[in-house]
Amino acid sequence: MKLDKFDLGILTELQRDARISLQELSGKVGLTSSPCWTRIKRMEEAGVIEGYSVRVNAAKIGLADTVIVQVTLNDHSDAALFEFGRALEQIPEVLEAFLVSGDYDYYVRIAVADTRDYERLLRERLYKIPGIRHSKSSFVLRQLKQSQLPLNR
């Protein structure tokens, strides 16, 4: 789908505040409400806009620590990769998982309360996934940046 300056403006404003009113959004991007709404619907139908969400402060709900786990699997067949991904989907603490190139097969981002909670997660969930050859865990000390997609590059 080809996006023009109005579409990119709409996406920029929605990334900033998905609860913005249609009237305010229209004014910010220089359109009237009807064409603005039509563009939003078109981008939703095309999958450019995948949904709307709320950012939750992890520490304020008891998930103060983030762990990045690098995982290497024994087997790299399509079936093994599929099963590993399926197993990760069943672990609520797993926030993101990336199949990557390099020394490890996956980078997995996990939210936990503290080191004891992470140790529990390792014993009860992660190490019970078959096919893990090696893993390396790193606790995030501080998040330096979190941003939205760079729409106006």
Side-chain angles (χ1 to χ4, degrees):
M1 174 177 188
K2 185 142 174 73
L3 302 175
D4 64 16
K5 70 176 187 171
F6 294 110
D7 296 324
L8 292 172
I10 290 167
L11 292 172
T12 298
E13 294 303 324
L14 287 175
Q15 278 192 150
R16 208 172 278 137
D17 179 9
R19 294 182 62 186
I20 189 171
S21 72
L22 181 60
Q23 292 73 23
E24 189 177 351
L25 177 60
S26 300
K28 287 188 177 212
V29 300
L31 293 170
T32 60
S33 295
S34 182
C36 187
W37 180 251
T38 300
R39 286 170 178 269
I40 291 169
K41 286 294 163 199
R42 188 183 83 234
M43 288 188 285
E44 288 174 348
E45 289 167 7
V48 174
I49 297 174
E50 295 180 334
Y52 301 88
S53 63
V54 171
R55 286 190 313 268
V56 176
N57 183 308
K60 293 195 180 198
I61 63 164
L63 297 171
D65 286 333
T66 300
V67 184
I68 307 296
V69 184
Q70 298 165 298
V71 178
T72 302
L73 301 180
N74 288 322
D75 181 8
H76 297 96
S77 68
D78 288 344
L81 297 176
F82 176 78
E83 287 303 319
F84 183 72
R86 218 168 67 152
L88 290 181
E89 287 176 0
Q90 302 306 309
I91 303 173
E93 295 90 345
V94 171
L95 304 176
E96 296 177 302
F98 302 95
L99 177 61
V100 297
S101 61
D103 295 336
Y104 291 89
D105 298 322
Y106 285 91
Y107 282 6
V108 181
R109 188 168 69 95
I110 297 175
V112 291
D114 52 29
T115 55
R116 290 192 123 164
D117 190 32
Y118 181 60
E119 188 265 338
R120 174 205 52 82
L121 178 80
L122 283 177
R123 277 185 300 99
E124 294 177 5
R125 304 298 297 269
L126 199 60
Y127 287 162
K128 291 192 175 179
I129 300 173
I132 295 177
R133 180 187 327 151
H134 177 72
S135 70
K136 176 182 168 185
S137 302
S138 300
F139 274 77
V140 172
L141 300 176
R142 182 180 343 146
Q143 184 178 34
L144 302 178
K145 180 180 179 182
Q146 180 180 7
S147 62
Q148 303 291 342
L149 288 173
L151 299 172
N152 297 317
R153 309 184 291 280

